[in-house]
Every structure is written in structure tokens, then in C-alpha cells.
Amino acid sequence: MEHEQTIPEPQKEGESAPESDTSVPRRRVRRTAFLIAGAAALGVLAGTITGYAVQYHREPTPLPPLAQQKMAAPQPQAMSDATTKRSINANRWHKADEELAKKLLDAPGGAKSDFSGAVPLDVFAAGYYKDVSGGLGNLITDQIRSIASADWSESDRNFVEINLLQFHDRNQAEDLQLGIESYMPTKEYAGNAGKEVPGVPDGFGHMWVDSKADEKPGYHPIRQGGAVVRRGDIVAVIKYTNNRGEVDENVLADLAKRQMERL
């Protein structure tokens, strides 16, 4: 039996066409969009979980070896009569430090050399500054690059110490030079204004000899002389000590001049 076909009645004149009912199709479109979005999210989540599960059961992939894993380097040695600061503190020097150490004056003939070479920053600060932590912090702030020292003694009366300090910036080197020149004239140090170093350009060197010897009952009088010279980003600080209360100013000036020439 055939279904009867419903023929829509013709629109009468003056009547508007009935509004179409779009509520059902809109709900269907919205529901379809939600279903697609949910399926996509579940797919991403399932893929992520599967990836982690697969990776979990795999052996870890080894990283490529680092270059130069076994570099030739000296081993630290226990302290003995044959060891030096360098052998005890192995691996604390950089190749660039050796270049600065080559600029140190050599101990004169007949003198006993105690040390000559590069010095780690903390070791230098411990032996040079009264306030070790403050001095160390200032050197780091001033961008110190490397330090080298030389020590020798002559006839158990004269003791010489030379420290070379190299900075990354010559302005920092100049600040150190000016700082030394500002405190040396005080009573705690030389106690006088000192003088320019003969043979060194004006403004690049100064020297002092203590106004008074340090005298204590039962001990020889001790007097010190000091000098500072600068060339570029390197400052040389020289300390000359005599344990008989006499400092030869000419010897001090010659040390400062020759060290300036080496720089």
C-alpha cells in the first residue's frame, strides 16, 4: 500500500511564510562538534600514554662521550721536603698563569729562592690581606685575572717579595695602584709620602721606606721598604724587608725599575 503524499497547501496572499524550525539541527551540530573534540582529546591522551609506556620499557640511550675525558694532569702530592706549593696544589693553575709568572724577576745570584710562579687567588689573599674574605671579595669584584709571586732571601737579612697582579681591565689595575699609594703614607705603613721610582714614568710607580724600624726587646729591628709599579693591566707590588733595621733605598729602586722593564 502506497503512502499518501502530502501536498502543502498554497500560501494565501498576504500571509507570511512560516518560520522554519532550526532547533533540532542546531543541537545535532553542537553535539557532533563536542563528540569530535572529545575524540580528538582522547586520541592525544591515548597516544601520550602509549608513548610513555613504550619508552618506559626501553633501555636508556647512552649519551655520547665527552671530549678529552682523560686529560693529562699532575696528581697532588703529599707535603714533604721535596714538594712545593705547585705540587701540593696541583690542577689549580691555568696555562695563562705561566705567562704572567715568566714576567717575574729572577732571584739574584747567591740568594735563596723560596718560590717563584703562579699563585691561586685564595692562597694569595690569605697571605696578603688582614681581612682575607674582604680582600678576596674585592679581587673578584675587580675581575682579577691571574697572580704570580716570587720570594727570596739574601744573607738571612734581606727578604724580597714580589707580587704581580693582572686584571681583565687596565682601569682596575690603576685602581689598585692608586689604592696602595693612598694608604702607604699612613703611620700604620711607611709613615711618609715616599718618592717616584727613578727610571719609571711619572704616575706609573712609587716607592717608600718606613720612617721607623719596628723594634721589640730581644729582637732585631725590622724595617721595610715597598714599591708599586704598573704597566697596562699588570700591577707589581714589591716588599723589601731587612731584619737589621736598614733598607738600601737604591736596591729597592733598582728592583722596582727592573721589574717594570720585565713587564
Side-chain angles (χ1 to χ4, degrees), residues 158-162 180 184 189-190 192 194 206-213 222-228 237-243 245-253 255-256:
N158 298 319
F159 302 86
V160 177
E161 177 183 338
I162 302 177
I180 294 174
M184 281 300 294
Y189 293 93
N192 59 77
H206 210 86
M207 56 180 287
W208 304 263
V209 175
D210 290 355
S211 298
K212 293 183 179 180
I222 296 177
R223 178 168 291 184
Q224 289 186 336
V228 57
V237 184
I238 301 170
K239 183 167 68 174
Y240 184 93
T241 305
N242 178 273
N243 61 7
E246 299 177 356
V247 172
D248 191 332
E249 187 176 285
N250 294 326
V251 173
L252 176 61
L255 282 173

Side-chain angles (χ1 to χ4, degrees), residues 75-86:
Q75 295 296 322
Q77 301 179 20
M79 185 180 296
S80 67
D81 295 337
T83 54
T84 64
K85 293 181 181 179
R86 191 177 184 88

Side-chain angles (χ1 to χ4, degrees), residues 85 92 119-137 139 147 161:
K85 293 181 181 179
R92 302 187 69 186
V119 179
L121 179 58
D122 55 343
V123 174
F124 171 79
Y128 188 82
Y129 293 103
K130 293 181 178 180
D131 179 8
V132 177
S133 61
L136 180 61
L139 289 175
I147 301 175
E161 177 183 338

Side-chain angles (χ1 to χ4, degrees), residues 19-40:
E19 297 181 359
S20 60
D21 187 0
T22 59
S23 59
V24 174
R26 286 178 180 173
R27 285 200 300 270
R28 289 178 180 173
V29 171
R30 187 179 299 115
R31 183 174 59 185
T32 301
F34 287 157
L35 290 175
I36 294 174

Side-chain angles (χ1 to χ4, degrees), residues 52-121:
Y52 275 109
V54 172
Q55 187 65 31
Y56 178 79
H57 293 288
R58 288 179 177 174
E59 293 293 330
T61 303
L63 295 175
L66 297 176
Q68 298 180 348
Q69 295 184 68
K70 297 180 180 180
M71 297 181 64
Q75 295 296 322
Q77 301 179 20
M79 185 180 296
S80 67
D81 295 337
T83 54
T84 64
K85 293 181 181 179
R86 191 177 184 88
S87 59
I88 295 173
N89 299 280
N91 302 322
R92 302 187 69 186
W93 279 265
H94 189 272
K95 290 292 292 182
D97 297 336
E98 298 179 1
E99 297 301 320
L100 180 64
K102 293 177 181 178
K103 300 180 184 296
L104 286 164
L105 280 180
D106 298 324
K112 178 184 177 182
S113 178
D114 297 320
F115 176 76
S116 180
V119 179
L121 179 58

